[in-house]
Amino acid sequence: MRYLFIISFFLTACYSITAQNEVFKTNIQLIELEELKEEIFESEKEYKIAFIFNQFCPASRDIFPDLDKLYKNSIQKNFELFIISETKEKNKEDLKDHLFYYGYEEPFYILKDKPLLGFLKKTIQSICEGCDFKEMGYSSFIIFNKNNEVVVQTNYNHTEEELVSILEKYMQ
């Protein structure tokens, strides 16, 4: 009887773990910078939000839960969110754990063509020629309208409350 109970418990635990893993799937996409730019600009949504993320940056980690909550609570979905990272292949599992912790299943873009220096400059200049990359950092974002014109560009001087307030306006 004791063995039957142990086997039953083990099978239930294995099934539960398998079911949990099947429910949550991260959607991490490796993409070239030019492909990402095309994807952003081809979007038909009213607003397109490009968020520069680094899992090791405290500012990125601080704003991410608010960003994710706004995304999940959005009713109209009149926007498309592009979370962009330079995460290295060796840190991909850490990123998956981070996304799993927040239950984040939406597309997450890791750039394939990472420069040794100047990731922010290259990325920002590629998707937004008129943006001031010197003022931007991880946790900054660029909001484009349907015509791919910059509506808002944030920078590292914005407080978390200001960033959330800006995002609330466009993530409806």
Side-chain angles (χ1 to χ4, degrees):
M1 181 69 168
R2 184 170 33 170
Y3 293 113
L4 180 60
F5 176 73
I6 292 172
I7 290 172
S8 173
F9 176 75
F10 177 74
L11 291 174
T12 303
C14 288
Y15 175 76
S16 175
I17 290 170
T18 303
Q20 285 176 354
N21 287 339
E22 287 177 13
V23 169
F24 182 80
K25 303 265 190 231
T26 56
N27 188 356
I28 298 174
Q29 299 178 25
L30 293 172
I31 193 168
E32 298 287 339
L33 188 52
E34 279 304 309
E35 291 175 274
L36 176 65
K37 181 179 177 179
E38 287 175 23
E39 200 161 319
I40 292 171
F41 289 171
E42 289 174 2
S43 172
E44 295 292 322
K45 295 290 186 171
E46 188 175 342
Y47 298 107
K48 299 165 259 193
I49 302 168
F51 176 70
I52 310 296
F53 178 81
N54 183 317
Q55 72 199 61
F56 301 109
C57 170
S60 282
R61 285 195 315 263
D62 289 348
I63 193 69
F64 189 80
D66 294 318
L67 175 74
D68 187 45
K69 183 179 176 183
L70 287 169
Y71 184 88
K72 288 177 179 170
N73 292 336
S74 172
I75 297 168
Q76 295 178 359
K77 295 285 191 226
N78 63 338
F79 66 92
E80 190 163 349
L81 181 61
F82 298 88
I83 299 182
I84 308 163
S85 178
E86 67 168 335
T87 298
K88 294 175 177 56
E89 191 67 33
K90 68 180 183 176
N91 296 331
K92 193 173 174 182
E93 288 304 315
D94 290 338
L95 178 59
K96 283 184 179 180
D97 290 345
H98 179 84
L99 298 177
F100 177 80
Y101 177 78
Y102 288 104
Y104 191 84
E105 300 178 53
E106 291 72 29
F108 197 98
Y109 301 92
I110 297 177
L111 296 178
K112 289 181 187 177
D113 49 348
K114 300 177 204 50
L116 292 175
L117 299 172
F119 164 78
L120 285 170
K121 177 182 177 182
K122 182 177 179 184
T123 303
I124 292 165
Q125 284 183 327
S126 176
I127 62 175
C128 179
E129 293 175 10
C131 289
D132 184 2
F133 68 88
K134 293 176 188 171
E135 291 288 317
M136 297 180 75
Y138 296 111
S139 80
S140 293
F141 53 85
I142 305 163
I143 300 176
F144 300 94
N145 65 16
K146 191 172 189 168
N147 300 320
N148 297 319
E149 300 164 331
V150 176
V151 177
V152 175
Q153 170 200 339
T154 64
N155 59 55
Y156 54 76
N157 291 320
H158 285 97
T159 65
E160 185 176 342
E161 292 79 22
E162 290 172 324
L163 294 174
V164 170
S165 175
I166 292 168
L167 288 169
E168 284 175 338
K169 182 176 177 181
Y170 297 97
M171 296 177 82
Q172 300 176 9

